[in-house]
Amino acid sequence: MKTKDLRVVKTKKAIYQALTHILKNKSLTDINVSELCRQAGVNRGTFYFHYEEVGDVFKEFFEEVILDLQESYKEPYKYISALQLKSSVYKNLDPKTVRIFHHVKKYEDFYHIILSDNVSTTYYYMFFDAIRSNFIEDSKIGEYDESKKFVYSFMTNAIIGLIIEWHRSNFKESVDDMNIHLVQTLSAIARN
Amino acid sequence: MKTKDLRVVKTKKAIYQALTHILKNKSLTDINVSELCRQAGVNRGTFYFHYEEVGDVFKEFFEEVILDLQESYKEPYKYISALQLKSSVYKNLDPKTVRIFHHVKKYEDFYHIILSDNVSTTYYYMFFDAIRSNFIEDSKIGEYDESKKFVYSFMTNAIIGLIIEWHRSNFKESVDDMNIHLVQTLSAIARN
DNA sequence: ACTGTTATTGTACAACTGTATAATAACATA
DNA sequence: TATGTTATTATACAGTTGTACAATAACAGT
């Protein structure tokens, strides 16, 4: 048993598509359950059988995106740009960090919503915790070092700070530009 | 003319008090307009005359808090702890940054809400922009340096990263502890 | 094809939302 | 104290919310 029920698959797909459709014209915060169900052709009671609020649907979406972020960390360095391999500017840059920018650019539309104003902080912290766990994964040789938890949160949110700035410029900078900004920022801090 | 209308003052005060009262037992997200007005003894229509949602009341609150943050930046260094003046660990730490931790500790209850899960990102960005503008203020000799905007956002959000970690430990660390964590984090980064 | 399970629907309900209107009361100013 | 202004109230309305229920249809496994 435990095969996925086709009814559920169909319902959720309808809701997904309805949400992405409405999101083209409206911000996430302004979409209500009734409208979403009307668009999806799904009974409102059915919605509440699976979710509690509209944001939960988006959250389910974003969980997939976060999964992709984790995946990209485990893969070999295929995402690293040619630019990086050539330039000596990058010699001190951890290639794993570089992938975050690739990932964000890939899911640009998502991160525009997540980093926008007047949205639940839930998504922000999903992103935060994902990056943070990668930082921990990278640096730990043996066990988790409790004393470094502030260092992890500092670095994690610092990277997101760059991405917030990126978001505010409508992601107009290229991934390579962001790499350069990261290197320059780090060296600027090291100078002080 | 343009004296403040006593009716408005009275109404807003009633709503303020009602909100702070309800916040003791409920999270901001769970408070609705009707409940707030019932508690405040204010007509619901009056509420909508001044605000659009419950969060706007909290936002008006938080604007005062942010004002205090800006104030503290302009004051002399009276907030700096005795610990800092003695220890040589702090020799490289900008005393202005130290005040942020003082400020957050002072308004601990506020920042517990603002940094909690499932709250609007609006307050986060209010905090972000306040700190960021202070960073810019500090570093600019002449005019605003557009090329450094990523450095500003990096450092700003990095500091907030520490505060997020602080928040997650229920602010159990002292302000001096946080100063130490900041110094240690910065030196850890400089080492790489 | 049969059967037990359960997701889905339609319906109903009280409470909340956002907006609008007219009447009233509280206000600032001269 | 009188006057013009406007914040507040009471009321009303259509739409949304969250929950509950019974009936039905769609499903998975044998």
Side-chain angles (χ1 to χ4, degrees):
Chain A
M1 57 192 296
K2 270 295 158 204
T3 323
K4 59 180 72 178
D5 195 322
L6 289 184
R7 292 171 293 183
V8 178
V9 176
K10 186 182 140 201
T11 298
K12 289 203 168 189
K13 189 178 177 184
I15 294 176
Y16 286 161
Q17 289 176 340
L19 182 60
T20 46
H21 181 262
I22 302 175
L23 273 175
K24 287 171 188 166
N25 308 318
K26 261 189 182 179
S27 67
L28 184 59
T29 324
D30 294 335
I31 302 171
N32 59 33
V33 177
S34 295
E35 180 185 14
L36 183 61
C37 292
R38 230 179 286 125
Q39 175 69 31
V42 166
N43 191 278
R44 205 162 52 85
T46 308
F47 176 91
Y48 284 110
F49 188 76
H50 294 291
Y51 308 102
E52 285 194 339
E53 43 181 4
V54 176
D56 291 340
V57 183
F58 185 79
K59 190 175 175 179
E60 211 170 88
F61 257 126
F62 192 51
E63 273 163 4
E64 300 295 318
V65 175
I66 291 292
L67 224 70
D68 180 273
L69 175 63
Q70 306 289 14
E71 289 279 316
S72 75
Y73 260 79
K74 289 165 190 156
E75 288 174 16
Y77 298 176
K78 70 178 183 186
Y79 283 129
I80 299 170
S81 69
L83 198 153
Q84 166 158 17
L85 296 172
K86 287 172 191 164
S87 172
S88 64
V89 188
Y90 301 98
K91 58 173 183 284
N92 292 322
L93 186 58
D94 181 5
K96 295 204 168 189
T97 310
V98 173
R99 293 197 204 145
I100 296 175
F101 297 129
H102 269 285
H103 165 84
V104 171
K105 189 73 178 179
K106 184 176 172 187
Y107 295 98
E108 192 178 326
D109 293 345
F110 269 93
Y111 286 99
H112 246 311
I113 294 171
I114 284 150
L115 299 175
S116 67
D117 202 59
N118 206 25
V119 177
S120 173
T121 52
T122 303
Y123 320 119
Y124 187 97
Y125 285 123
M126 286 170 69
F127 188 40
F128 179 91
D129 288 324
I131 296 177
R132 193 175 184 278
S133 71
N134 285 336
F135 269 119
I136 294 172
E137 194 71 27
D138 277 12
S139 62
K140 82 167 176 196
I141 310 299
E143 70 291 346
Y144 170 68
D145 193 350
E146 167 74 14
S147 69
K148 282 184 184 170
K149 66 176 189 175
F150 283 98
V151 180
Y152 294 137
S153 292
F154 181 98
M155 276 311 296
T156 299
N157 223 40
I159 297 290
I160 298 180
L162 286 184
I163 296 168
I164 287 173
E165 196 61 44
W166 199 16
H167 150 76
R168 287 184 171 185
S169 75
N170 287 308
F171 297 112
K172 77 159 184 270
E173 287 86 0
S174 71
V175 174
D176 290 330
D177 288 339
M178 292 308 295
N179 294 341
I180 294 172
H181 283 308
L182 177 56
V183 174
Q184 287 179 342
T185 302
L186 286 172
S187 62
I189 292 168
R191 250 181 272 121
N192 295 357
Chain B
M1 59 194 294
K2 268 298 158 203
T3 322
K4 58 180 72 175
D5 196 323
L6 290 182
R7 294 171 293 183
V8 178
V9 176
K10 185 182 140 200
T11 297
K12 289 203 166 188
K13 189 178 176 184
I15 294 176
Y16 285 163
Q17 290 177 340
L19 181 61
T20 46
H21 182 260
I22 302 174
L23 273 175
K24 288 173 186 165
N25 309 317
K26 261 189 181 177
S27 67
L28 184 60
T29 325
D30 295 335
I31 302 172
N32 58 32
V33 177
S34 296
E35 181 185 14
L36 182 60
C37 292
R38 231 179 286 124
Q39 175 69 32
V42 166
N43 190 278
R44 205 161 53 84
T46 308
F47 175 90
Y48 284 110
F49 188 77
H50 293 291
Y51 307 102
E52 284 193 341
E53 44 182 2
V54 177
D56 291 340
V57 183
F58 185 80
K59 190 174 176 181
E60 213 170 84
F61 257 125
F62 192 50
E63 274 163 3
E64 299 295 317
V65 176
I66 291 292
L67 225 69
D68 179 273
L69 176 62
Q70 305 290 14
E71 289 279 316
S72 75
Y73 259 79
K74 289 166 192 156
E75 289 175 15
Y77 295 175
K78 69 178 183 186
Y79 283 129
I80 298 169
S81 68
L83 199 152
Q84 166 158 15
L85 296 172
K86 287 171 191 164
S87 173
S88 64
V89 189
Y90 300 99
K91 59 174 184 281
N92 291 324
L93 185 57
D94 181 3
K96 294 205 171 191
T97 311
V98 173
R99 294 195 204 147
I100 297 176
F101 297 130
H102 268 285
H103 165 83
V104 172
K105 190 72 176 179
K106 183 177 171 186
Y107 295 98
E108 192 178 327
D109 293 344
F110 269 92
Y111 286 99
H112 245 313
I113 294 172
I114 283 151
L115 298 174
S116 67
D117 202 58
N118 206 26
V119 177
S120 172
T121 52
T122 303
Y123 319 119
Y124 187 97
Y125 285 124
M126 285 170 70
F127 188 40
F128 178 92
D129 288 326
I131 297 177
R132 192 175 185 277
S133 71
N134 285 334
F135 268 118
I136 294 172
E137 195 71 26
D138 277 11
S139 61
K140 80 166 176 195
I141 309 297
E143 69 294 345
Y144 171 68
D145 193 351
E146 166 76 14
S147 68
K148 283 183 182 169
K149 64 178 191 174
F150 283 98
V151 180
Y152 295 137
S153 291
F154 181 97
M155 277 308 297
T156 298
N157 222 40
I159 296 289
I160 298 180
L162 287 185
I163 296 169
I164 287 173
E165 196 62 44
W166 198 16
H167 150 76
R168 287 184 171 184
S169 74
N170 286 309
F171 296 111
K172 77 161 186 270
E173 289 85 359
S174 71
V175 173
D176 290 329
D177 286 340
M178 292 308 294
N179 293 341
I180 294 172
H181 283 308
L182 177 57
V183 173
Q184 287 180 343
T185 302
L186 286 173
S187 62
I189 291 167
R191 249 182 271 121
N192 294 1

